[in-house]
Amino acid sequence: MKKEMKNIVIGIIVLIVFIVAGVHLKQRMASQLAASKEKPVEPSSSKITKSVETIEYDLPLSNSEKRVEHPTHVVLHFTSNALNKPQDPYLIEDAYDIFKESGVSTNYVIGRSGEIYSFVPENRVAYHAGKGSLSDFPEYNDRLNYYSIGIEILAIGTCEEMSTMIPVENFDLIDSDLVGYTEAQYQALNVLIEDIVGRYPGIKKNRAHIVGHDEYSTGRKTDPGSLFDWSKIGL
Ligand SMILES: [Zn+2]
């Protein structure tokens, strides 16, 4: 009789163990099934895809680095080859070589006819802003490259703005039509900025987030300078 009782107790214990294990397994399977039904993380619709037509003109990878931080800024610049070719300062090949050889870079270059060149993909940090500071973003001191997309516009500033880059004699050789910005460049810039702002929630379309190099590196840099008309890009 005692032995029978013992067997019954053992039988009940084994049964309980099976029931508990069964419930546990069922719960696990249910959670796995739920997980498999969850949608994979996808970029929100087409917004993440660049919709602007660009001409790919990649600089070597050594001129940039992988982006880690989410960009919150756009920095506008001007660039040209006025030092070497004051009469033909806007050849894209020359701009490319200047960046390549100096080890600096930009994400985009906007040509005189409004064509947009991609020099460094947005998922990489381009070396365009260098040292500087923004009063609203003290944590970005000398680090704006990591938080920004750089756009260089093929343009030349005033004689005074160019004085640290080219001698006055060279400036005098530049056709006055080549000084300043073209309407096609403003149009292209509008399209590019709208596209960027639509894809990065951290970049607001205002003057706190879209800045000139001369505002970040005041005293050291003069681009995009006084000839750049911010109102033409709605800012
Ligand atoms: Zn600049």
Side-chain angles (χ1 to χ4, degrees), residues 61-78:
L61 290 180
S62 54
N63 286 56
S64 63
E65 63 192 88
K66 195 168 173 283
R67 193 185 288 283
V68 177
E69 311 290 347
H70 291 289
T72 54
H73 283 70
V74 169
V75 183
L76 301 182
H77 306 259
F78 65 46

Side-chain angles (χ1 to χ4, degrees), residues 163-201:
S163 64
T164 57
M165 292 162 267
I166 61 171
V168 177
E169 308 88 78
N170 281 45
F171 188 86
D172 291 340
L173 297 172
I174 300 167
D175 189 318
S176 60
D177 287 351
L178 299 179
V179 175
Y181 299 84
T182 68
E183 290 305 315
Q185 287 179 319
Y186 285 115
Q187 282 174 26
L189 195 53
N190 268 306
V191 171
L192 183 56
I193 288 175
E194 284 300 329
D195 186 68
I196 289 171
V197 168
R199 287 182 292 110
Y200 296 95

Side-chain angles (χ1 to χ4, degrees), residues 75-78 128-129 152 213-214 221 223-224:
V75 183
L76 301 182
H77 306 259
F78 65 46
H128 58 94
E152 293 272 359
H213 199 187
D214 45 7
K221 292 289 176 183
D223 58 319

Side-chain angles (χ1 to χ4, degrees), residues 107-172:
N107 295 104
Y108 295 104
V109 178
I110 299 184
R112 298 297 283 176
S113 305
E115 66 278 28
I116 303 172
Y117 299 91
S118 168
F119 273 25
V120 172
E122 289 173 9
N123 62 1
R124 295 185 66 81
V125 170
Y127 304 145
H128 58 94
K131 291 194 172 184
S133 62
L134 294 172
S135 56
D136 292 341
F137 299 84
E139 67 276 26
Y140 289 4
N141 276 10
D142 299 342
R143 292 180 51 78
L144 187 55
N145 284 341
Y146 298 102
Y147 301 92
S148 66
I149 290 172
I151 302 176
E152 293 272 359
I153 306 159
L154 287 184
I156 291 167
T158 63
C159 185
E160 196 188 347
E161 286 164 358
M162 300 303 288
S163 64
T164 57
M165 292 162 267
I166 61 171
V168 177
E169 308 88 78
N170 281 45
F171 188 86
D172 291 340

